[in-house]
C-alpha cells in the first residue's frame, strides 16, 4: 500500500508544471502525522485550485488513507 507521503507527492507532481520543485516532508507525532507540501511559487495556484477545491480533495484522500491505518493526518501546503 502506498504511503500518504507518496500519494501526496504523486498527485502534486501530476498537477504542477515543474515536478522537480515538489517536496513533501512528513512529521510524525504520537497520534497524528503532519504532511508539508512545498511547490514552486508559480505552481501554488495549481495545487490549491479554485476556492481551495484541489487542496481540499487532496486532504480528503489523505484523511481516508490515514483513517484506514488508524491515524490522523494534516496536510499543509507551505
Amino acid at each position: 500500500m502506498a504511503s500518504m507521503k507518496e500519494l501526496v507527492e504523486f498527485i502534486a507532481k501530476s498537477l504542477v508544471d515543474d515536478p522537480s520543485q515538489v517536496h513533501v516532508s512528513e512529521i510524525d507525532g504520537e497520534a497524528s502525522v503532519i504532511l508539508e507540501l512545498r511547490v514552486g511559487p508559480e505552481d501554488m495556484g495549481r495545487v490549491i485550485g479554485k476556492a481551495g477545491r484541489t487542496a481540499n480533495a487532496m486532504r480528503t484522500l489523505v484523511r481516508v488513507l490515514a483513517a484506514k491505518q488508524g491515524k490522523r493526518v494534516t496536510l499543509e501546503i507551505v
Side-chain angles (χ1 to χ4, degrees):
M1 179 182 288
S3 73
M4 293 176 279
K5 180 179 175 181
E6 291 169 345
L7 177 65
V8 170
E9 195 169 335
F10 175 77
I11 294 170
K13 284 184 177 182
S14 300
L15 292 171
V16 299
D17 285 334
D18 187 4
S20 67
Q21 294 219 3
V22 172
H23 299 286
V24 180
S25 55
E26 191 171 5
I27 303 165
D28 285 322
E30 283 185 30
S32 65
V33 177
I34 298 173
L35 294 172
E36 288 185 349
L37 171 61
R38 297 178 191 275
V39 296
E42 64 281 350
D43 288 324
M44 189 65 79
R46 291 180 185 274
V47 172
I48 295 173
K50 286 188 179 180
R53 286 193 181 123
T54 305
N56 285 333
M58 288 172 55
R59 287 184 178 113
T60 301
L61 286 171
V62 173
R63 271 193 218 117
V64 168
L65 185 59
K68 285 187 176 186
Q69 297 176 7
K71 295 181 183 177
R72 294 185 60 128
V73 69
T74 305
L75 175 62
E76 296 178 356
I77 300 170
V78 183

